[in-house]
Amino acid sequence: MGCHENVELLQKANVLLYDSSSIIIEFLFFDKPVVTYQNTTPGDYLIDVNSSELIGPAIEKVLNRPQELMDNIRKFSDNHQHYRDGKSFARILDAVDDFIANYKGKIKRKPLNLFRKLQTRWQIKYFPFGPHYTAGKRTNTIHKYLFNK
């Protein structure tokens, strides 16, 4: 199979071929198999290959949707996403309605903590006013504070 045929086949079959990314987890949540190439965190819920010659056979394997692989995908998904019942949007709307009915306008504002703000600015020497202030100097000071301690 050529490269273009593989891409078309993957699109039609709803199979993902990737290396390492969070998109893999999203794809698994839809009960769709994933073939990875040198994945940094392989597991039994995907097919991971370490050489380019094994990509084709791995794709053909997942196209058959082996029962063991699909069961592992469901276990992984259920373990990482408990609310896969299709009612998440209804729960969000219920939470918004509850907030409007019971909490809107009743929550106290956080107190203005000027001392902590000044303390933080003093630590990083950030005072954006006065004759000595320059953006470059501030950036260098923040960089030194963050990386040279």
Side-chain angles (χ1 to χ4, degrees), residues 126-141:
Y126 173 69
F127 298 98
F129 46 82
H132 301 292
Y133 174 74
T134 64
K137 185 176 182 181
R138 176 185 61 117
T139 304
N140 289 339
T141 303

Side-chain angles (χ1 to χ4, degrees), residues 50-116:
N50 292 318
S51 73
S52 57
E53 293 84 28
L54 298 175
I55 293 174
I59 291 171
E60 291 184 26
K61 179 179 179 180
V62 298
L63 287 176
N64 294 325
R65 303 279 202 272
Q67 190 61 44
E68 182 182 0
L69 176 64
M70 299 311 292
D71 289 343
N72 291 337
I73 289 172
R74 283 186 204 93
K75 285 179 197 171
F76 173 84
S77 298
D78 290 341
N79 190 32
H80 287 83
Q81 179 56 275
H82 304 286
Y83 300 106
R84 297 181 40 179
D85 58 0
K87 298 178 183 177
S88 293
F89 191 71
R91 282 190 286 273
I92 291 170
L93 291 178
D94 289 342
V96 170
D97 289 341
D98 179 56
F99 175 80
I100 291 170
N102 298 314
Y103 300 101
K104 186 176 179 183
K106 299 175 186 174
I107 298 175
K108 292 181 182 179
R109 290 188 67 177
K110 279 178 72 176
L112 187 60
N113 196 338
L114 293 175
F115 178 72
R116 189 163 61 197

Side-chain angles (χ1 to χ4, degrees), residues 14-82:
N14 287 320
V15 173
L16 178 68
L17 173 62
Y18 223 82
D19 53 358
S20 292
S21 173
S22 61
I23 191 67
I24 293 170
I25 295 170
E26 299 290 330
F27 212 75
L28 292 169
F29 285 161
F30 289 103
D31 292 328
K32 297 184 180 186
V34 176
V35 175
T36 57
Y37 179 73
Q38 296 180 345
N39 189 293
T40 56
T41 55
D44 60 355
Y45 48 87
L46 50 84
I47 303 294
D48 185 50
V49 296
N50 292 318
S51 73
S52 57
E53 293 84 28
L54 298 175
I55 293 174
I59 291 171
E60 291 184 26
K61 179 179 179 180
V62 298
L63 287 176
N64 294 325
R65 303 279 202 272
Q67 190 61 44
E68 182 182 0
L69 176 64
M70 299 311 292
D71 289 343
N72 291 337
I73 289 172
R74 283 186 204 93
K75 285 179 197 171
F76 173 84
S77 298
D78 290 341
N79 190 32
H80 287 83
Q81 179 56 275
H82 304 286

